Amino acid sequence: MVQFSRICFRKYGNFVDNLRLYVRGGSGGMGLPRLGGQGGNGGDVWVVATKNTTLKRIKDKYPEKRFVAGPGANSSVRALKGEKGKDKEVLAPVGITVTTDDGQILGDLNTEGDRVIVAKGGAGGSFHSIFEPKKGQTRHIRLDLKLIADLGLVGFPNAGKSSLLTAMSNATPQIASYAFTTVRPEIGKLMFEDYKQISVADLPGLIEGAHMNKGMGHKFLKHVERTKQLLFVVDVCGFQLASTTRFRSAFEAVQLLTKELELYKEELLSKPALLVVNKMDLPDAEYKLAELKEQLQNPDEFSDILPEDMIPKNYMNFRHVVPVSASTGSGVEHLKRCIRESLDEGAAMENKATHQDRLQALRLQSKEHL
């Protein structure tokens, strides 16, 4: 049996996950009318995915947040065709979506070396433009980071996510009896004795209405998009966010979390998911766990507990329902094994699908050559 070794955990200080930049392509060079010379094109501005960088570093290194490519060289007697201007590269972290101010997606940078052009250089002067050059493209762009992790933790405040991480690891996230202790994302890696690593994203707690950008809202939900699987964490005894809000049972918490994800982006519910039922050391926890399991097996029979507009279109089908007590450590080792098993199964299915796609492509190629 593969044993869990440890988890290294990193907290993002002064976390920045969205940055607005001014970019301008270089102006083209002048043409040379009497000899028909052509000026060089202006340089382009690119955003390039690079390891070991963050949006905060870009913000600190370039406080004006301006990136301008070099101008094209003028045509001359010595060089009738001017040289192209120097390109400008914005080195950004992996996991970036590049958009314009109006939301148009220019590209996604999912792996190191991915690059997208964000401002084209102007054309050099030539016969067709009466030897007058063009200015480079000018625009504001946004770099939007969505954390990439194997597992994304999903839970309402006080579900015990931070305590669970401490129980699973030597991590020391902030823990307190008040609701919002996780206020910025944290990324960690579970290290196993066979050198397998599983990355975990602990993200700010959701509240009802998060899909409408209440609370942390979209700042949380967008980071769920690039995790491979979801880990729901609920308090077995339910929770009440504030004296002005309703008490929610564990079953209600599961369905409300499901609905928030559905309303933000329905495709998120197609991700494999596990459910952690925390705080099993509390009185009546076993009884409440049995009640929750029955409700999860027959959710339609208990849907009248929920407000009508918060009933999910489809209920989550969890691969594992794991009871734990983060405070005592009970069930934590079993949870680690379930996480590993679920991700290994997911990787095997993904590899099988990729293999089948390649076979299908080869068959189509063979038919075309016949």
Side-chain angles (χ1 to χ4, degrees), residues 22-274:
Y22 170 85
V23 293
R24 189 177 77 215
S27 297
M30 292 287 294
L32 188 62
R34 64 189 178 90
L35 295 177
Q38 182 175 338
N41 293 334
D44 304 316
V45 183
W46 297 80
V47 179
V48 183
T50 312
K51 283 187 177 178
N52 301 321
T53 193
T54 65
L55 292 185
K56 185 177 184 301
R57 286 184 189 169
I58 298 173
K59 184 180 179 182
D60 291 344
K61 188 175 180 180
Y62 304 96
E64 294 183 356
K65 294 179 280 188
R66 290 171 60 88
F67 295 86
V68 180
N74 294 333
S75 174
S76 66
V77 174
R78 292 184 178 181
L80 287 179
K81 185 173 177 59
E83 288 189 6
K84 184 180 185 292
K86 189 175 181 181
D87 288 350
K88 184 72 174 178
E89 291 187 345
V90 183
L91 303 182
V94 174
I96 289 289
T97 296
V98 186
T99 63
T100 60
D101 261 355
D102 60 4
Q104 177 192 351
I105 296 177
L106 300 177
D108 289 308
L109 307 179
N110 294 321
T111 57
E112 186 182 11
D114 284 356
R115 55 199 291 124
V116 58
I117 191 168
V118 293
K120 293 181 180 179
S126 66
F127 174 80
H128 300 290
S129 64
I130 323 176
F131 301 99
E132 289 291 325
K134 301 288 187 183
K135 290 183 178 181
Q137 186 178 21
T138 299
R139 63 178 14 153
H140 282 95
I141 63 167
R142 292 183 182 273
L143 306 183
D144 195 33
L145 176 66
K146 297 175 184 177
L147 297 177
I148 299 174
D150 295 313
L151 208 63
L153 273 63
V154 180
F156 287 120
N158 257 15
K161 294 192 290 113
S162 295
S163 299
L164 182 63
L165 283 166
T166 302
M168 291 171 65
S169 66
N170 58 0
T172 53
Q174 185 180 4
I175 302 168
S177 59
Y178 51 88
F180 292 96
T181 51
T182 304
V183 295
R184 58 174 62 97
E186 296 176 347
I187 286 277
K189 285 191 180 295
L190 280 75
M191 313 287 289
F192 291 82
E193 287 186 351
D194 64 348
Y195 304 108
K196 170 76 174 180
Q197 297 184 15
I198 292 174
S199 56
V200 182
D202 179 26
L203 303 149
L206 286 172
I207 64 170
E208 291 180 47
H211 68 281
M212 296 185 293
N213 216 14
K214 290 182 181 177
M216 291 290 182
H218 293 178
K219 195 173 179 67
F220 165 86
L221 287 165
K222 71 174 186 177
H223 291 302
V224 181
E225 293 182 49
R226 289 188 178 176
T227 58
K228 292 179 182 176
Q229 299 193 10
L230 304 177
L231 187 69
F232 281 54
V233 183
V234 299
D235 182 334
V236 69
C237 293
F239 81 103
Q240 185 172 12
L241 184 61
S243 58
T244 55
T245 60
R246 281 185 55 184
F247 173 82
R248 300 296 190 189
S249 67
F251 175 73
E252 288 178 276
V254 170
Q255 305 314 332
L256 290 170
L257 288 168
T258 302
K259 189 64 178 182
E260 291 296 343
L261 295 177
E262 175 192 290
L263 291 171
Y264 174 71
K265 188 167 286 188
E266 201 166 339
E267 305 93 271
L268 292 176
L269 300 184
S270 64
K271 292 179 182 290
L274 296 82

Side-chain angles (χ1 to χ4, degrees), residues 285-355:
E286 291 294 341
Y287 168 76
K288 290 181 182 298
L289 175 64
E291 183 180 51
L292 172 60
K293 286 183 174 179
E294 181 187 354
Q295 291 169 326
L296 290 173
Q297 286 176 351
N298 306 286
D300 283 322
E301 293 182 18
F302 300 93
S303 60
D304 58 345
I305 299 172
L306 297 161
E308 191 171 338
D309 60 343
M310 291 306 291
I311 298 173
K313 292 180 186 175
N314 296 293
Y315 296 102
M316 291 296 294
N317 184 21
F318 296 104
R319 288 187 171 185
H320 299 277
V321 177
V322 188
V324 305
S325 168
S327 63
T328 67
S330 173
V332 172
E333 289 300 321
H334 177 55
L335 171 61
K336 296 169 190 171
R337 291 192 291 272
C338 289
I339 289 171
R340 175 69 186 269
E341 179 185 317
S342 183
L343 284 165
D344 285 349
E345 284 176 6
M349 290 174 66
E350 192 175 316
N351 290 337
K352 184 177 179 181
T354 301
H355 181 66

